[in-house]
Amino acid sequence: MTSEQIGQVARDYGTPAYIFDIPKLKERVEYLRSHLPEQVRLCYAIKANTFITEALNDCMPRFEVCSPGEYRVCQALNIPPEKLVISGVYKTPAFIRELVSTQPEIGVYTVESPAHLRLLQEAAKEQNTTLRVLLRLTSGNQFGLDKPVLREIITNRSQWDGLDILGIQYFSGTQKTSLKKLKRELERLDELIAALEAEDGFVCRELEYGPGFPAFYFQGEAFDEDSFLTEFAALLEGLNTSARITLELGRGIAACCGTYLTGVVDLKQNKGQNYAILDGGMNHLVYFGQSMAMKLPHCRVYPPRPEGEEIWNLCGALCTANDILVKQLPVKDLQIGDVFAFENTGAYCMTEGISLFLSRALPQVLLLEEGGVFRSVRPITPTYPFNTPTNE
């Protein structure tokens, strides 16, 4: 966003606010596509940012849905059901039966456990249909199936009538910059797929893989993404499997398109330290993860000022000493009413924050569309009703 656009939002809409730049988002998708093999598909995990889902509909072949609530979002946005991957570690029988009975076009379901497998088979039998499924292989945590269990399912796949096992899903984490680690993972998956075919006669038609591409939030982080993606594409090209490969991404797609605006509401000095109190805070902005306030993020102040000798700590509006967004930020002549713009906030921050703490309102959400037009897609939303006891 330009300084003029930041000023426009501050004047016309106020703060705090999230802005998602749709042209920049689509440029990001095109950038990824241009660096990956042509036959490789992308899948957007909507948990990263539901507000950009509709904008991605015309350029994204798949969307990962991890809860009934996320499905309702896609339903409201008219995302075609055939594009959906119904994932998630907790699938309720009522939700699965609803989908199978009303949305037979659903693209694929993931299997996280033997109980999931039985649930999907029962729902398929009730509707006399066949469901397409991917078996999720665990990476060593609570998600997915242990490899012996997965292999047993494949070996005995004839007993799972009503289920068409397309292949494997695998995801092992995020913010991965090590090509060596990605290479090891892909080689292990390639070996497993080959063994399933050689020993069980199972031909894996699909491999959905979460590479966990990184997003960068802090100043001084150097990363040659062009070279990284070129080498990663070569790894994909070098696989022996003929399975259709889908890369499931969240922050790797969404992070770059977001800007979070929060305004200065008070300035003070305590024991020689300068503190700026903002109308937002850690309830809105958590993309720093475990490094919150330990590094300098990509942020700028409006109206623009040159960096000076004054050093400020930026603190949010919550009544907790943990609500510090930035420490020791050099800003000259800071004023009440100034606005800070935090960049690369397009993924997770609008949903991962402790948004109900102190019953502070949720920020508004704006889309910056083609031609520089802003569109409001969520007003400032009170949270106190969620914290108010009710007799109903």
Side-chain angles (χ1 to χ4, degrees), residues 21 24-25 28 215 251-259 343-347:
D21 187 329
K24 189 171 185 177
L25 170 68
R28 175 64 180 172
R251 77 180 72 232
I253 291 173
C256 70
C257 78
T259 303
E343 299 173 346
N344 293 344
T345 56

Side-chain angles (χ1 to χ4, degrees), residues 285-303:
L285 191 66
V286 296
Y287 75 122
F288 302 159
Q290 296 302 313
S291 298
M292 181 175 284
M294 301 304 291
K295 299 179 182 179
L296 288 181
H298 294 287
C299 69
R300 49 202 168 108
V301 65
Y302 179 87

